Amino acid sequence: KAGVTQTPRYLIKTRGQQVTLSCSPISGHRSVSWYQQTPGQGLQFLFEYFSETQRNKGNFPGRFSGRQFSNSRSEMNVSTLELGDSALYLCASSLSGVRTGELFFGEGSRLTVL
Amino acid sequence: QQQVKQSPQSLIVQKGGISIINCAYENTAFDYFPWYQQFPGKGPALLIAIRPDVSEKKEGRFTISFNKSAKQFSLHIMDSQPGDSATYFCAASVQGGSEKLVFGKGTKLTVNP
């Protein structure tokens, strides 16, 4: 069974640009959640999508957005990039959602903002 | 606002020793407490999890101890091995409508051979 696939794995952007990250969940999983991982703040929840609907959102500014397609694939977008957005962005898929805690993570997309 | 406090930040243990990582929470609505293990360059992977109606759960060398009254839970790794060297995250999920998973800041474990 294929795991969670995130693309791209690495990317470099400059301040003010925008970026789109993609996540393909495990087949059959309807929940996709996104996390930002930094050395100082650890893992922080961005948002969760379930069956194309945003089910919950963390405490991030509106520059961070996402969506989910009918095939459960998800994208997250960060607009007007700031230096502090440099981080590893992880997505996780789950059968029933983040509340169960049984998440399967991808290897992440490492974003560097210059 | 950090809702799950994890300690220590880093831990060095000799092979064969016991590794202990502690977490404390404030929100009594939390009802699911997983632990994740992350190796460098990889995403976190679920290691073991516990619900508050159980005081202890053991899977192989890994044991979660849960103290509901103290709002604390801990991970014990018995007979620690160099292959256990990784970053460990505790987490808690919120009961009810606001479904999210809140993570501790992680503990970097190094097991020396």
Side-chain angles (χ1 to χ4, degrees):
Chain A
K1 199 174 190 181
V4 177
T5 304
Q6 290 189 246
T7 57
R9 290 293 312 279
Y10 303 91
L11 65 167
I12 299 174
K13 294 285 187 179
T14 57
R15 280 185 302 173
Q17 287 187 310
Q18 74 163 12
V19 66
T20 299
L21 309 177
S22 179
C23 173
S24 294
I26 292 172
S27 177
H29 285 191
R30 295 162 65 189
S31 166
V32 174
S33 52
W34 289 88
Y35 300 83
Q36 182 193 65
Q37 185 174 24
T38 59
Q41 296 300 316
L43 279 159
Q44 293 187 285
F45 173 78
L46 281 156
F47 29 66
E48 182 200 9
Y49 286 87
F50 188 91
S51 295
E52 301 180 66
T53 301
Q54 186 180 85
R55 199 149 72 165
N56 198 15
K57 193 176 190 302
N59 298 322
F60 279 82
R63 302 185 295 108
F64 292 81
S65 63
R67 58 178 176 169
Q68 186 179 33
F69 302 96
S70 58
N71 62 358
S72 293
R73 190 178 70 86
S74 177
E75 290 181 346
M76 70 162 281
N77 183 275
V78 188
S79 62
T80 321
L81 284 166
E82 300 177 359
L83 294 179
D85 296 333
S86 294
L88 179 67
Y89 290 88
L90 292 159
C91 88
S93 77
S94 168
L95 269 173
S96 52
V98 301
R99 184 174 178 277
T100 66
E102 296 175 272
L103 305 179
F104 296 84
F105 283 86
E107 294 190 334
S109 294
R110 184 165 295 281
L111 170 65
T112 302
V113 182
L114 302 176
Chain B
Q1 179 189 0
Q2 184 190 359
Q3 297 184 27
V4 179
K5 294 185 179 180
Q6 183 172 348
S7 62
Q9 263 190 312
S10 62
L11 180 61
I12 299 175
V13 174
Q14 292 299 119
K15 179 182 175 181
I18 302 173
S19 304
I20 302 174
I21 304 171
N22 300 300
C23 285
Y25 63 97
E26 298 171 358
N27 189 344
T28 55
F30 287 145
D31 65 350
Y32 190 76
F33 302 89
W35 285 87
Y36 281 83
Q37 178 189 54
Q38 185 178 29
F39 293 105
K42 301 292 184 182
L46 180 64
L47 186 63
I48 186 172
I50 197 168
R51 295 196 181 275
D53 54 347
V54 176
S55 61
E56 186 175 282
K57 183 174 181 179
K58 184 177 181 180
E59 288 185 4
R61 296 183 294 109
F62 300 89
T63 300
I64 301 178
S65 297
F66 186 83
N67 186 330
K68 189 174 181 179
S69 60
K71 292 186 285 186
Q72 295 176 346
F73 58 111
S74 60
L75 176 69
H76 292 63
I77 307 174
M78 311 300 289
D79 187 26
S80 298
Q81 299 297 312
D84 296 331
S85 297
T87 299
Y88 293 81
F89 295 92
C90 62
S93 66
V94 182
Q95 187 176 356
S98 180
E99 298 188 358
K100 62 174 70 174
L101 195 59
V102 180
F103 286 87
K105 290 197 174 184
T107 296
K108 185 175 181 181
L109 171 66
T110 302
V111 181
N112 289 327

